[in-house]
Amino acid sequence: MDNYDQFISKKTDSLPDKGKISCISPSNIALVKYWGKRPVQLPENPSISFTLEQCTTKTSLRFEKCKELSDSFNFELLFDGKPKPDFKPKIQSFFKRIEVYMPFLKNYKFSIETTNNFPHSSGIASSASGMSALAYCLIQLEKQIHPESSESYFLQKTSFLSRLGSGSACRSIEGPVTVWGSHKDIDQSSDLYAIKFPGQLHENFANYQDTILLIDKGKKQVSSSVGHDLMHGHPFATRRFEQANNNISRLKEILSSGDIDAFIEIVESEALTLHAMMMTSFPYFILMKPNTLSVINKVWEYREDTGSKLCFTLDAGANIHLLYPEEELKEVKEFITRELVAYCHKGQYICDKIGLGTKLL
């Protein structure tokens, strides 16, 4: 039975007067995809992801104790140095969800400054890095209030709170590989928070590369939240959740054994299955673009011609993540500049690799 009560902080009057906390949190890319959720922010199937290193959100949280306790949450938000009114309802909803676990929130006026180093709302998980960064800053404040709690507790609670802001955000706290969702073959796995992959990661996956091709930098016409909701009543949902559970079991063995060919098979199948669920929901929708399909075919041709271990995955968007071993870095970069850049928006792509999660600045 999941224990929510363990994350409820004791009320106390010993609150710091003011301060500033800054952190940087990465995005992540799911290998086995989570698509479909139940209240509140719980996954219909478990997922497993690579934590990234370069695609990050930097967040600074200033806090100052209010003279009088407010009935509402008192915060202002700057995104890239400017007010972002359309982000505020999401933060308001997040604070409302986590208030029971952080009863000191209404004691403070917060100033949140946040910036991404990658495009927002284009299929790189900006909500994952953004909400995990905010949750991490809030946990650092809680550390000042309750220093007696253990570091492992704070990491677990950060993941738990992040999930309440954005489901995939719970996978960004640690790295290089994390699992979110209860699964019979993953010890200590939980729907409430993500955990580090408990197996030994094979050296074949050390410093695994992720080059993100920016096929389309525009805002998605259907948000991930809407897409998740369309899994309710989806004709293929039950079978999809079974497939994801089976793929987690297989991927657990693959990540330990180093079988990259089997890794490629699962990762590409999962990416295409995710988009197949979108195309067969009602209403149906397509987030891939023509250039997405062109790149996928180019990747398959390249692998056939060279014996490369390059593969692709997709998040909920048109952009392509190219995953490959570090030893192929030079050859893959040459392939990208020679044949794939033409399909990218203004020739843009991001060179990333697996990383270790959120950190204090």
Side-chain angles (χ1 to χ4, degrees):
M1 191 71 178
D2 289 323
N3 180 10
Y4 289 81
D5 292 348
Q6 64 179 310
F7 296 118
I8 298 176
S9 295
K10 299 188 293 287
K11 289 193 177 182
T12 177
D13 294 327
S14 59
L15 301 174
D17 289 332
K18 61 181 179 178
K20 179 185 175 184
I21 298 160
S22 298
C23 81
I24 192 165
S25 190
S27 185
N28 64 76
I29 179 65
L31 307 172
V32 172
K33 309 294 184 181
Y34 132 74
W35 198 244
K37 59 187 174 183
R38 60 191 196 279
V40 172
Q41 295 287 97
L42 296 172
E44 290 282 16
N45 68 266
S47 56
I48 188 165
S49 62
F50 279 159
T51 309
L52 300 181
E53 183 179 87
Q54 298 298 327
C55 289
T56 58
T57 297
K58 179 182 176 183
T59 295
S60 293
L61 179 76
R62 285 188 172 84
F63 57 93
E64 184 170 357
K65 202 153 71 167
C66 300
K67 292 181 173 61
E68 295 180 3
L69 190 62
S70 173
D71 288 334
S72 58
F73 302 111
N74 192 343
F75 68 94
E76 57 184 33
L77 175 70
L78 296 178
F79 180 73
D80 288 340
K82 300 173 185 172
K84 191 77 171 174
D86 51 328
F87 279 13
K88 288 195 79 169
K90 184 157 189 170
I91 305 299
Q92 177 77 22
S93 173
F94 176 57
F95 280 164
K96 193 172 180 181
R97 283 177 179 170
I98 69 171
E99 184 185 14
V100 64
Y101 308 106
M102 298 192 127
F104 54 82
L105 287 177
K106 285 179 179 172
N107 290 89
Y108 286 103
K109 179 183 179 184
F110 294 108
S111 177
I112 305 162
E113 294 182 41
T114 188
T115 183
N116 295 340
N117 67 358
F118 60 93
H120 172 74
S121 290
S122 59
I124 304 172
S126 56
S127 60
S129 56
M131 298 310 295
S132 58
L134 178 55
Y136 194 80
C137 286
L138 289 168
I139 283 289
Q140 301 310 307
L141 173 54
E142 183 174 318
K143 272 186 177 181
Q144 296 179 31
I145 299 167
H146 294 291
E148 70 281 0
S149 297
S150 69
E151 185 63 26
S152 61
Y153 168 80
F154 282 126
L155 279 173
Q156 202 172 82
K157 182 167 179 177
T158 308
S159 183
F160 172 83
L161 296 177
S162 299
R163 188 200 92 241
L164 293 171
S166 167
S168 58
C170 70
R171 299 190 309 240
S172 284
I173 304 304
E174 296 185 273
V177 181
T178 58
V179 180
W180 171 39
S182 182
H183 190 281
K184 61 182 178 58
D185 293 337
I186 308 288
D187 290 342
Q188 309 300 313
S189 59
S190 172
D191 288 349
L192 299 189
Y193 47 80
I195 62 168
K196 282 182 74 169
F197 174 63
Q200 182 66 40
L201 191 65
H202 193 277
E203 61 183 12
N204 284 354
F205 297 106
N207 291 321
Y208 221 69
Q209 302 295 301
D210 179 3
T211 301
I212 304 155
L213 306 182
L214 299 179
I215 306 292
D216 179 39
K217 291 175 70 176
K219 189 170 181 178
K220 294 182 292 186
Q221 73 267 35
V222 177
S223 71
S224 291
S225 295
V226 171
H228 281 292
D229 286 344
L230 293 176
M231 287 297 283
H232 297 296
H234 193 295
F236 308 133
T238 301
R239 182 66 191 94
R240 163 59 198 153
F241 302 145
E242 291 172 4
Q243 178 194 40
N245 275 278
N246 292 337
N247 282 342
I248 292 269
S249 297
R250 291 178 61 201
L251 198 57
K252 179 190 175 188
E253 300 302 320
I254 290 164
L255 291 173
S256 296
S257 71
D259 186 343
I260 297 183
D261 290 331
F263 174 84
I264 290 170
E265 181 183 284
I266 286 181
V267 166
E268 291 190 343
S269 169
E270 278 284 321
L272 295 175
T273 300
L274 171 68
H275 285 260
M277 300 312 286
M278 298 173 192
M279 288 188 265
T280 51
S281 64
F282 192 82
Y284 39 80
F285 61 102
I286 299 175
L287 295 184
M288 287 192 282
K289 301 293 184 184
N291 282 358
T292 309
L293 295 173
S294 296
V295 168
I296 288 172
N297 280 298
K298 285 284 186 184
V299 168
W300 285 339
E301 288 171 14
Y302 176 76
R303 200 162 65 220
E304 180 71 25
D305 292 344
T306 64
S308 167
K309 302 301 184 187
L310 173 68
C311 72
F312 70 87
T313 189
L314 299 159
D315 219 331
N319 298 327
I320 290 186
H321 292 248
L322 297 177
L323 303 177
Y324 53 98
E326 186 180 30
E327 65 191 37
E328 290 193 34
L329 181 59
K330 181 173 179 289
E331 292 84 356
V332 171
K333 280 197 172 178
E334 288 173 356
F335 169 58
I336 291 168
T337 54
R338 185 176 69 247
E339 295 196 43
L340 302 185
V341 161
Y343 299 103
C344 299
H345 177 78
K346 296 183 178 177
Q348 293 178 305
Y349 60 94
I350 300 169
C351 295
D352 210 332
K353 63 178 182 177
I354 59 177
L356 297 177
T358 311
K359 59 186 177 186
L360 204 56
L361 294 175

